[in-house]
Amino acid sequence: CTKENDVSSEPILKEKLLGTNDSNVVTRGDGLYAQTVGSNKTYYYKGAVENNYVKFADKVWRIVRINEDGTIRLITQDNVIGRQAFNSTYSTYNEMYYTNSEIKTAVENWYKTNITDKGFDGKVASGNYFCEQAKVVWSTSYTAGNATVATKDNYTPSFDCTTDGNGKGVVRGKVGLITIDEVLFAGGVIGSSPNFYLKNGSTYWMMSPAGFDYINAIAWSVDSVGNTNFNFVNSTLGVRPVLNLSADTLVSGSGTSSDPYIVK
């Protein structure tokens, strides 16, 4: 094959991110952190990092974390769907769940058009990679059906995902949205606007439920100044899909905005 198509010397993305013996992992400041999840380990980016850019499927993405199985979780840098309701119906707590939502259909249609139909689907892992468990609500006055939840003032994020009291938890698939846990681990703050890499100057949905206020189902979001916030599910916000690259993904580049990792 020609030299430009020869990827035999290209590194696996996970190895490039971690460095030798996890030499790129930090314990303070902006950077790549490690977190134990059960008997495994995940690595996640936190803060105003500038070395987690990826070019894949003709789009710019940011690396959220290295999953426990070595796959690489990406979120689009931009809102690829401009205005989308989470659900146009909102009168019960059921509408706060991603698997009951209209946004799930919109995200999967986007994936088919932009990933599957363009021949990029083979690079994407499928599995139990997404979580819609109800974990935290905005206010003590908000309910969550039969799910046991914390309020925003006493919540500690966790990458664990279990089935909640409403029977909702792990979501299997190739595409989804980011969760509130991932946003908080990345440096997001509920009700505040830190400078972190998931702030992109626009408002967009997460897939995590934020409760029910007796009239409206609510889901978590990030707003244009970086606040971790909530919105009624019938609001129309932007959408940043999330997917997971296979663990054996080869790349070139250094991960900066001007020289992103390019998937081979």
Side-chain angles (χ1 to χ4, degrees), residues 162-263:
T162 58
T163 302
D164 65 24
N166 299 316
K168 300 293 188 179
V170 171
V171 178
R172 183 177 179 84
K174 282 199 164 187
V175 66
L177 298 176
I178 201 162
T179 67
I180 187 166
D181 296 296
E182 290 168 335
V183 169
L184 296 178
F185 273 112
V189 180
I190 297 175
S192 186
S193 53
N195 185 25
F196 72 132
Y197 76 92
L198 290 174
K199 173 182 174 180
N200 73 349
S202 61
T203 303
Y204 59 92
W205 288 111
M206 303 183 212
M207 70 185 291
S208 299
F212 184 68
D213 71 353
Y214 305 102
I215 300 174
N216 300 285
I218 303 160
W220 288 102
S221 62
V222 176
D223 70 19
S224 60
V225 296
N227 283 317
T228 298
N229 215 326
F230 72 94
N231 282 88
F232 299 142
V233 295
N234 63 324
S235 303
T236 55
L237 311 181
V239 182
R240 298 174 69 179
V242 172
L243 53 75
N244 301 277
L245 293 177
S246 301
D248 59 357
T249 296
L250 301 175
V251 297
S252 61
S254 62
T256 64
S257 59
S258 60
D259 182 34
Y261 296 118
I262 297 176
V263 175

Side-chain angles (χ1 to χ4, degrees), residues 60-88:
V60 177
W61 308 70
R62 303 298 289 272
I63 301 170
V64 176
R65 61 183 175 120
I66 303 171
N67 297 316
E68 296 89 323
D69 64 355
T71 55
I72 311 295
R73 193 184 305 269
L74 306 182
I75 185 172
T76 58
Q77 168 62 20
D78 300 316
N79 296 359
V80 297
I81 301 174
R83 307 294 293 181
Q84 171 68 46
F86 196 93
N87 252 334
S88 58

Side-chain angles (χ1 to χ4, degrees), residues 136-140 150-156 190:
V136 54
V137 297
W138 182 266
S139 165
T140 54
T151 59
K152 63 181 174 59
D153 298 319
N154 63 359
Y155 182 63
T156 300
I190 297 175

Side-chain angles (χ1 to χ4, degrees), residues 65-111:
R65 61 183 175 120
I66 303 171
N67 297 316
E68 296 89 323
D69 64 355
T71 55
I72 311 295
R73 193 184 305 269
L74 306 182
I75 185 172
T76 58
Q77 168 62 20
D78 300 316
N79 296 359
V80 297
I81 301 174
R83 307 294 293 181
Q84 171 68 46
F86 196 93
N87 252 334
S88 58
T89 55
Y90 52 87
S91 59
T92 73
Y93 71 82
N94 291 309
E95 281 88 20
M96 69 183 184
Y97 283 108
Y98 182 76
T99 52
N100 297 337
S101 74
E102 294 163 12
I103 201 171
K104 180 176 186 289
T105 301
V107 168
E108 290 174 349
N109 288 341
W110 177 90
Y111 181 91

